[in-house]
């Protein structure tokens, strides 16, 4: 009986050590998020053409989104993200960095779609009007960005796709 208890204690010790390692790893991943808050990113913007820094920034955004438990907090944070995605698209357009315009455009569209979906699924009607207004303002900016490219180019079509998507998302928010 003592031998069984020692064996079980040894197995539990291994489990506890494993859990400590996992917890330590998670803390190492989450700690920088508290040090490098979004306000730090605003001071020194990180754009999609700084690939490794940008990927770390996006990981931080995803973790912060997961840590926002209430639907209204998620909507508020996603509204900040949609503004950030627009700034990134503006930057990529201004610098004519066409190597990054497709993914940047897709990220913008995806963020707008996820925001719309969250509002509809969680029935956050009071947020729908504000987000629709934001989409209307963004549409005007996107039309300007689109005008920076020739109509027969892929870049023009990427931005046009964002405009089309915002129209669809606005309609969805209006009709729910």
């Amino acid at each position: 009986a003592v031998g069984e208890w020692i064996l079980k204690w040894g197995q539990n010790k291994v489990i506890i050590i494993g859990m400590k390692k996992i917890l330590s790893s998670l803390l190492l991943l989450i700690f920088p998020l508290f040090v490098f808050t979004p306000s730090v990113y605003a001071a020194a913007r990180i754009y999609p053409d700084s690939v490794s820094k940008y990927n770390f920034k996006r990981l931080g955004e995803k973790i912060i989104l997961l840590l926002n438990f209430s639907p209204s907090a998620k909507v508020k944070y996603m509204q900040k993200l949609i503004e950030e995605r627009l700034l990134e698209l503006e930057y990529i357009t201004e610098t004519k960095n066409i190597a990054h315009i497709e993914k940047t455009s897709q990220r913008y569209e995806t963020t707008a779609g996820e925001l719309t979906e969250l509002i509809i699924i969680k029935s956050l009607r009071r947020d729908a009007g504000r987000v629709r207004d934001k989409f209307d303002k963004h549409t005007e900016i996107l039309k300007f960005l689109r005008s920076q490219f020739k109509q027969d180019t892929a870049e023009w079509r990427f931005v046009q796709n964002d405009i089309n998507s915002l129209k669809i998302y606005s309609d969805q928010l209006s009709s729910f």
Side-chain angles (χ1 to χ4, degrees):
V2 173
E4 282 182 35
W5 182 82
I6 290 172
L7 183 60
K8 285 182 183 178
W9 182 82
Q11 290 171 343
N12 289 339
K13 187 176 179 181
V14 170
I15 291 171
I16 291 171
I17 290 170
M19 290 174 62
K20 285 182 180 178
K21 286 181 181 181
I22 291 170
L23 185 59
S24 297
S25 298
L26 285 173
L27 287 174
L28 285 174
L29 283 173
I30 294 173
F31 178 73
L33 297 178
F34 296 106
V35 176
F36 301 109
T37 61
S39 61
V40 172
Y41 290 126
R45 291 225 176 266
I46 299 171
Y47 293 107
D49 56 356
S50 299
V51 178
S52 60
K53 289 179 184 177
Y54 187 76
N55 287 338
F56 181 73
K57 171 188 162 184
R58 295 267 295 133
L59 175 65
E61 290 172 352
K62 289 177 187 215
I63 292 172
I64 290 170
L65 190 58
L66 284 173
L67 295 175
N68 283 308
F69 296 111
S70 77
S72 60
K74 285 184 187 287
V75 167
K76 186 176 180 180
Y77 186 66
M78 289 183 80
Q79 286 183 50
K80 290 179 185 177
L81 289 180
I82 193 77
E83 293 295 334
E84 184 66 23
R85 297 290 94 84
L86 183 63
L87 289 172
E88 293 165 2
L89 192 55
E90 287 175 343
Y91 169 81
I92 293 299
T93 301
E94 288 172 10
T95 59
K96 301 289 186 205
N97 193 339
I98 60 173
H100 294 279
I101 194 160
E102 180 178 10
K103 283 193 180 253
T104 304
S105 171
Q106 289 170 345
R107 281 188 200 104
Y108 177 84
E109 178 186 2
T110 299
T111 304
E114 288 172 348
L115 176 57
T116 301
E117 188 175 77
L118 177 64
I119 290 170
I120 292 170
I121 288 172
K122 298 297 182 179
S123 297
L124 301 171
R125 295 188 193 290
R126 69 169 197 267
D127 292 314
R130 282 190 296 252
V131 171
R132 238 184 9 258
D133 292 343
K134 185 180 294 285
F135 286 173
D136 289 343
K137 290 176 186 170
H138 282 208
T139 297
E140 295 308 310
I141 295 168
L142 289 169
K143 286 178 181 177
F144 172 76
L145 296 178
R146 180 190 63 193
S147 73
Q148 305 303 302
F149 301 106
K150 292 183 180 180
Q151 190 170 354
D152 60 346
T153 63
E155 295 80 15
W156 186 93
R157 287 190 299 275
F158 294 141
V159 178
Q160 180 61 45
N161 190 56
D162 291 337
I163 294 167
N164 295 343
S165 295
L166 285 186
K167 171 80 172 106
I168 292 167
Y169 300 146
S170 272
D171 291 347
Q172 288 175 344
L173 290 171
S174 294
S175 65
F176 105 97

